[in-house]
Amino acid sequence: MAKRPPTIPDSELDVLKVLWDLGQATVREALETLRAAGRQWSYATVATLLDRLESKGLVTSDRRELAFVYKPVISGQEVRQKRVNSLVDKLYQGEPGLLVLHLLKSHPLDPDQAKEVRSVLDQMMGDKGRKKDR
Amino acid sequence: MAKRPPTIPDSELDVLKVLWDLGQATVREALETLRAAGRQWSYATVATLLDRLESKGLVTSDRRELAFVYKPVISGQEVRQKRVNSLVDKLYQGEPGLLVLHLLKSHPLDPDQAKEVRSVLDQMMGDKGRKKDR
DNA sequence: TGTATCCTAAGACAGTTGTCTAACAAGGTC
DNA sequence: GACCTTGTTAGACAACTGTCTTAGGATACA
């Protein structure tokens, strides 16, 4: 009977992203931002989504003057981490390397990023040869 | 009102993976394989999932002797591609490079993979310097 | 004070996902 | 023929998602 663990559906993720960008927001602010970004939602929809995020413990709310102000509890970094892990587990046999390879082969990197990637990689390989703990 | 585009939920994905591995399977074969892998599902559950996959057009069925045999229509490669693209779009501002960096920084690669990654990268950078089309 | 605003609350409602029970058909077996 | 064994089918049902309507409490301004 185990209740499913809380997930972050697409629509909630969109709202959460606004909070990451703005730091915090009221329903109306989030709505405006989302409208500007092309999401044609009603006020109530955004309110519902924030509500659901709150019941999942992913944002907190705090009454300020007129309206509630919502703040993210979970960071973008954490969400990215979880998503990537789950992708790697589910479709890359738990091997992040396979995903990296897939990415490099199917999406060309721009030169700056390529250089950065290379340097991270160099460091990783270098370390391995010289000393084994950080 | 636009009907949502079909997605592949987790449980269906698990079944689909069996089809990728075996090439094709009956409900019972899929069930056995999933059981062996730890999924405690009933026969009917697997049947339902295969059915849903079929109505989404992701597998086909074909009556053989006693039972239906299901085959995947969509490949693992395609599914991976879509998932990765959507992850990159949703959480990495459409920049695959950011995801690569994240992966390298947070998950150490094993040496063989590191070497392979490096060679793909070298080739990418080298090409850029020498000639611009493949 | 009445009316226009803005906010929250409560819930509706259809579509999707996760899982299953139960009824029923076809092929063997005694 | 009466019974298993396998398989298919239909449908059930609760939780989750995507979106909204509507009622009701405050605030604000004419």
Side-chain angles (χ1 to χ4, degrees), chain A residues 28-93:
Chain A
R28 181 146 311 268
E29 287 162 353
L31 176 63
E32 295 309 337
T33 307
L34 288 160
R35 284 256 167 88
R39 284 299 223 154
Q40 290 310 32
W41 273 332
S42 82
Y43 185 98
T45 298
V46 177
T48 298
L49 294 175
L50 280 166
D51 220 60
R52 290 180 181 168
L53 282 167
E54 188 169 20
S55 32
K56 294 176 184 175
L58 304 177
V59 312
T60 34
S61 68
D62 177 19
R63 181 154 220 138
R64 287 284 162 76
E65 292 153 38
L66 289 180
F68 279 104
V69 173
Y70 293 85
K71 277 193 216 195
V73 165
I74 194 172
S75 70
Q77 198 43 226
E78 289 171 271
V79 171
R80 278 189 284 274
Q81 189 69 50
K82 278 188 216 285
R83 295 264 168 145
V84 170
N85 286 340
S86 127
L87 179 66
V88 168
D89 284 353
K90 286 206 283 255
L91 291 173
Y92 294 89
Q93 298 124 77

Side-chain angles (χ1 to χ4, degrees), chain A residues 17 85 90 107 118 122, chain B residues 17 85 90 107 118 122:
Chain A
K17 284 200 275 191
N85 286 340
K90 286 206 283 255
H107 306 266
R118 173 190 262 282
D122 281 350
Chain B
K17 284 199 275 189
N85 286 341
K90 287 207 282 258
H107 306 266
R118 174 188 259 284
D122 281 350

Side-chain angles (χ1 to χ4, degrees), chain A residues 90, chain B residues 8-21 30 33-34 39 41 49 53:
Chain A
K90 286 206 283 255
Chain B
I8 308 183
D10 283 355
S11 49
E12 289 171 27
L13 185 57
D14 282 348
V15 174
L16 198 48
K17 284 199 275 189
V18 171
L19 298 190
W20 291 335
D21 281 357
T33 307
L34 288 160
R39 283 298 222 157
W41 274 331
L49 295 175
L53 282 167

Side-chain angles (χ1 to χ4, degrees), chain A residues 93-113:
Chain A
Q93 298 124 77
E95 304 252 19
L98 295 179
L99 173 51
V100 171
L101 252 7
H102 173 167
L103 280 161
L104 292 179
K105 285 182 186 148
S106 62
H107 306 266
L109 297 197
D110 70 59
D112 285 351
Q113 280 176 341

